[in-house]
Amino acid sequence: TSTNAILYSPLLYSTLLVSHLLLRQPMLWMAKHRSAATFATFAALCKPSPPPLSLSSSPSFTPTLLFYSLRKTRAFATAHGTAMSTMNVEQPSISETIARLRTTDVASKPRFLVLDGGTGEELFRRGVPDDRQIWSATALVHEQHHDTLKQVHRSFLEAGAHCVTTNSYGVVPGVGFGPDEMSRLATLAGRIARQAVHEHQRDSDAAKSLYVLGSLGPLVESYRADLIKPHDEGAALYQILGSALGPHVDAYIAETMSCAKEALQVVQALHDLATTDEGGEQSEVTFTPRPLLVSFTLGSDGNLRDGMSAPSSIRSLLDGSKTKGTGVELIGILFNCAEPEAITKAVDEINKDEELSSRLHSSGIVLGAYANRLTPVDPNWTMADSDAAQPFRNDLDEMQYWKDFVHPWVSQNSLKLIGGCCGITPEHIEVIAKHT
């Protein structure tokens, strides 16, 4: 139908208006049940504005702009280099993809989900200043680094990653950010990551599903189980971050958790966010529940930073989630920001524990790992007291990381989520993606 017909046919004009009103409920349903990317795409077709990066309100527009929104529909499809029928609508949720990873069918693809590498260290490698107070959040605080951050995300996608992680790890009170700043910067981190995915899908012929993981890091210091916030205070702070990231991500990832108690603060926060009043009713507008991945950091001995073994810590997380996280969908448990040798020790312990392995399998939880390339970190280390970055190892180049660690993890230990942390570059991820 031509634009003139739309403008001058009252019947068609009225029909379009009624169609828009009828579409509002399906859009709200997608906001609750589908990926953020799907809803953002669908909402963009019904607005005269560019593709929304914030999904906090339901789409609406005035009748006088109806014809313009239809023109924007085609412009949006053209700008994103894809046909209208393939605009991300059929992408499975990350929960569905992880469920497929658990199948024994060797023909099932993907067989592994490739994560990204270390965003912070990659930012510094590209010229962003290494501020020892706010660390990677420098790329959010200073607008001139926003494009570099987006390019870092895209570099991991171009290397073959299925997921990018928001640069919200350092957006925490421990470095001096208040609640309003945390919310604003976490929102920005989510928007930039989502934009990177959109642009990569626009420019790439690949049809694979891509996801954004919302990073929830330690609120005070990494690696320090002795410095975590009291439970209720920590959960309240994680609510701020979870609420800000939620509209832009497909799942949350609680990263570098030093103990089960720290991870349970995240679980509590996501549970609380999913209720809007004392009656515990689910929110359909202000917050859309997302699945959760929990990733623990380890000492050189393979135990968590509080000294508990990996199997014991996982049991504590699973048991605590029953009471603190009703309704929170835990889909994966990983290990990160640790020496790869330590991760191997932890995974070996889990595999020897038949009862725990069975419990994880029956719960639909997969295991994963993304080691760092750092030299061993002192147990008493703090960012606040450090005056220089931790040195890198010289024995973990791209092929060594794959051959000595990642390949055994995926071939012998059945890990399904694989990537890298500090110092693991797009070049490392490219090798992993090609081999998996």
Side-chain angles (χ1 to χ4, degrees):
T1 306
S2 69
T3 301
N4 288 338
I6 295 175
L7 286 172
Y8 297 115
S9 171
L11 179 60
L12 182 57
Y13 186 84
S14 301
T15 302
L16 290 171
L17 176 59
V18 172
S19 298
H20 166 65
L21 296 175
L22 292 175
L23 285 171
R24 290 170 65 88
Q25 276 307 115
M27 292 169 76
L28 290 176
W29 181 89
M30 275 190 284
K32 181 177 181 182
H33 295 285
R34 300 294 294 174
S35 71
T38 299
F39 180 60
T41 299
F42 195 88
L45 305 185
C46 299
K47 294 185 71 175
S49 57
L53 291 172
S54 173
L55 310 179
S56 60
S57 60
S58 61
S60 62
F61 54 82
T62 61
T64 57
L65 293 174
L66 265 171
F67 80 95
Y68 181 65
S69 71
L70 293 178
R71 294 176 65 185
K72 295 292 287 188
T73 295
R74 184 173 184 85
F76 179 74
T78 302
H80 285 72
T82 181
M84 290 295 297
S85 61
T86 60
M87 290 173 59
N88 228 13
V89 175
E90 297 303 322
Q91 173 169 304
S93 70
I94 192 169
S95 297
E96 293 169 333
T97 295
I98 285 182
R100 292 177 185 176
L101 300 182
R102 299 175 62 240
T103 181
T104 56
D105 180 7
V106 295
S108 176
K109 292 183 178 181
R111 295 179 60 202
F112 308 97
L113 209 58
V114 180
L115 311 180
D116 55 5
T119 300
E121 298 294 342
E122 188 63 20
L123 284 167
F124 306 146
R125 191 167 76 136
R126 297 179 184 224
V128 175
D130 183 359
D131 186 317
R132 299 312 293 169
Q133 180 180 357
I134 62 174
W135 199 58
S136 64
T138 301
L140 298 170
V141 172
H142 301 290
E143 187 176 356
Q144 66 264 35
H145 302 309
H146 289 179
D147 187 66
T148 302
L149 172 57
K150 184 174 65 175
Q151 295 308 317
V152 167
H153 288 318
R154 290 201 61 179
S155 70
F156 285 116
L157 293 171
E158 290 161 5
H162 298 97
C163 306
V164 291
T165 307
T166 62
N167 186 41
S168 49
Y169 182 90
V171 181
V172 292
V175 302
F177 292 126
D180 290 343
E181 288 178 300
M182 290 169 59
S183 179
R184 178 178 64 84
L185 294 174
T187 298
L188 178 60
R191 286 175 174 174
I192 292 174
R194 180 58 67 188
Q195 186 178 8
V197 169
H198 279 318
E199 291 186 4
H200 178 74
Q201 290 174 320
R202 176 196 68 194
D203 299 338
S204 172
D205 294 331
K208 68 181 181 182
S209 301
L210 301 175
Y211 303 102
V212 176
L213 306 181
S215 174
L216 301 169
L219 296 171
V220 182
E221 287 282 359
S222 301
Y223 318 127
R224 296 297 297 272
D226 57 322
L227 298 179
I228 66 172
K229 295 279 189 182
H231 181 81
D232 290 343
E233 181 183 356
L237 290 165
Y238 279 124
Q239 281 189 56
I240 296 171
L241 295 169
S243 179
L245 289 167
H248 312 292
V249 305
D250 299 290
Y252 297 101
I253 182 163
E255 296 190 279
T256 323
M257 297 287 101
S258 58
C259 59
K261 290 181 180 179
E262 189 171 29
L264 286 171
Q265 293 180 9
V266 176
V267 172
Q268 180 77 63
L270 299 183
H271 163 75
D272 293 344
L273 273 175
T275 59
T276 57
D277 56 27
E278 294 181 356
E281 296 181 2
Q282 290 287 324
S283 168
E284 294 185 1
V285 177
T286 58
F287 178 74
T288 302
R290 306 288 184 208
L292 174 64
L293 302 162
V294 170
S295 189
F296 293 113
T297 180
L298 304 166
S300 297
D301 58 1
N303 293 327
L304 271 66
R305 302 286 178 164
D306 64 348
M308 286 187 66
S309 70
S312 296
S313 298
I314 292 174
R315 283 192 174 88
S316 295
L317 173 64
L318 297 178
D319 293 341
S321 295
K322 289 183 178 180
T323 56
K324 301 181 186 298
T326 305
V328 176
E329 183 187 6
L330 181 62
I331 57 175
I333 294 176
L334 305 88
F335 301 102
N336 81 293
C337 216
E339 302 157 57
E341 294 89 349
I343 292 177
T344 297
K345 292 176 184 178
V347 172
D348 286 344
E349 280 196 68
I350 295 169
N351 286 335
K352 292 175 183 177
D353 192 324
E354 294 183 2
E355 187 274 333
L356 177 60
S357 297
S358 176
R359 184 175 178 183
L360 291 172
H361 180 78
S362 62
S363 300
I365 297 172
V366 296
L367 295 176
Y370 53 115
N372 64 30
R373 193 163 58 92
L374 303 177
T375 54
V377 178
D378 188 291
N380 297 315
W381 181 92
T382 63
M383 176 69 77
D385 294 330
S386 67
D387 54 8
Q390 186 76 12
F392 288 139
R393 295 168 56 162
N394 57 14
D395 60 347
L396 273 182
D397 65 21
E398 297 86 355
M399 281 305 301
Q400 287 173 307
Y401 184 49
W402 161 255
K403 180 173 64 71
D404 295 343
F405 299 103
V406 177
H407 181 253
W409 291 342
V410 299
S411 62
Q412 301 171 20
N413 296 305
S414 301
L415 270 62
K416 295 297 185 180
L417 310 174
I418 296 295
C421 200
C422 301
I424 300 300
T425 66
E427 291 81 6
H428 287 84
I429 298 304
E430 184 176 15
V431 170
I432 294 172
K434 285 181 177 179
H435 283 85
T436 55

